Amino acid sequence: MTRPPNSGSGKCSSAIRSEPYGLNGSIPSYWETAVLPARTPAGRPVRRGPAAATFHETLALVAAGDAVCTVPDEGRRYNAQTDVVYLPLRDAPPVQWALIWRTGRATPLVRALAEAVTDCADTTGR
C-alpha cells in the first residue's frame, strides 16, 4: 500500500481500508469478503477503487497512488517494490491458506504434496 498518514509507527489499523481499493471484480465472493470486506472493523464502508484483473495490476494502481490494498505477508516478501510500502495491520485477523488443485487431477505428485502439507500442519498446529 502507499504510505498512509498514520504509517510512522510502522503499523496501521484496518481502518485504512477506508481508502480506495484496487479490486479484481472476478474474484469469488467468499474471497472478497475475507480479503476486501465491505466495512472496516469500526463499521465504516470501504470505497472501491479502480478494478484490477491481476495482482500486478493492483500493485501498479498502488504504486501510482490510485489505491491501497490488503495483502498477506507473502505479498511483501515476494512482490517488494521501492514505490510500494507494506505495513502490518495490527488488528487484522490472520490469513489462512489452503492447498488446492483441479478436480480430477490429483496426480501422485499432488497427493504426495498434500500428504506432506497435512503432516506438516499436524506437527506445527497450523
Side-chain angles (χ1 to χ4, degrees), residues 3-122:
R3 187 173 294 279
N6 62 345
S7 66
S9 67
K11 291 187 177 181
C12 64
S13 165
S14 295
I16 193 68
R17 292 181 179 150
S18 63
E19 296 295 321
Y21 269 65
L23 174 65
N24 179 341
S26 63
I27 63 175
S29 61
Y30 68 87
W31 186 7
E32 182 176 358
T33 299
V35 180
L36 300 169
R39 298 200 169 273
T40 68
R44 292 191 332 214
V46 175
R47 292 185 303 131
R48 296 297 191 231
T54 67
F55 183 66
H56 288 96
E57 286 180 15
T58 300
L59 282 176
L61 290 168
V62 171
D66 294 333
V68 298
C69 187
T70 55
V71 297
D73 194 45
E74 287 80 5
R76 176 191 56 81
R77 285 188 290 187
Y78 298 118
N79 298 285
Q81 293 184 204
T82 58
D83 53 355
V84 173
V85 174
Y86 292 87
L87 296 175
L89 296 174
R90 64 178 178 259
D91 56 354
V95 175
Q96 295 182 352
W97 292 97
L99 181 63
I100 63 170
W101 58 88
R102 187 173 176 178
T103 303
R105 301 290 179 139
T107 66
L109 185 59
V110 168
R111 283 195 280 289
L113 177 59
E115 183 177 343
V117 169
T118 301
D119 290 347
C120 180
D122 289 345

